[in-house]
Structures are given as C-alpha cells and as structure tokens.
Amino acid sequence: EKEVVWIDVRSVVEHKIDSIDGDVRISHGEIVEKVQELFPDKDTNISLYCRSGGRAGKALSALNEAGYNNVRNVGGIDDARKVRDITK
C-alpha cells in the first residue's frame, strides 16, 4: 500500500501550537496549487485534517475537482492522531 501523505490545512499559528510529526501544512485556500506542486501524482494517498473537519472538507472537494481521487478527510487533529495510530 502507498504511504499516506498527511496534510494539515489549518493556519500557520494553529500548526505551530500543535501538529502531527511528518505532516505537511498547506492552507485549505491554496491546497490545489500546492498539492499539484508537491504531489503531482493524482493517485497520491492523501489524508487531510484541520481543527474540526470543516476546512479539510473544503480542501477535499477542491482536490477531488482537480482530479485527485485518493483523498480523505479524517476530521480534526485528534481524529487524525487516532487514525494514524491505527494505521501505523
């Protein structure tokens, strides 16, 4: 199975306060541009998180529209930690 790319779509300040080791921080507003730059493969396995799942949902929709088909919204940072621990 492909490695999962974890993306935090919260603000820089939120990310500095608390983040998950090894994640990439990209604001949800610039998600498509940055993901296309960093992960051009549209099959990249991407998990998105934010504070509660709202911004991650917007980022998910934008990435789906851009042709990324292996993206999921895992919700908030605490949810992301639980999912990551299970999948390790």
Side-chain angles (χ1 to χ4, degrees):
E1 184 173 305
K2 282 186 173 181
E3 190 174 324
V4 178
V5 173
W6 288 84
I7 300 178
D8 178 358
V9 298
R10 299 171 306 149
S11 70
V12 172
V13 172
E14 288 171 297
H15 187 81
K16 279 185 180 168
I17 293 168
D18 187 19
S19 62
I20 294 175
D21 287 343
D23 68 358
V24 178
R25 197 209 64 81
I26 304 172
S27 297
H28 71 282
E30 55 186 14
I31 193 77
V32 173
E33 177 187 340
K34 296 288 186 186
V35 167
Q36 286 175 336
E37 190 180 297
L38 296 170
F39 311 103
D41 180 357
K42 302 268 192 213
D43 290 325
T44 301
N45 190 352
I46 298 172
S47 289
L48 303 166
Y49 73 90
C50 58
R51 184 178 50 80
S52 63
R55 287 172 281 182
K58 290 177 184 173
L60 171 69
S61 296
L63 287 171
N64 284 161
E65 284 178 29
Y68 284 84
N69 52 27
N70 200 6
V71 184
R72 67 182 178 159
N73 173 358
V74 295
I77 187 168
D78 292 333
D79 301 315
R81 277 201 176 92
K82 288 175 193 158
V83 170
R84 236 182 120 144
D85 287 346
I86 292 167
T87 58
K88 275 187 178 176

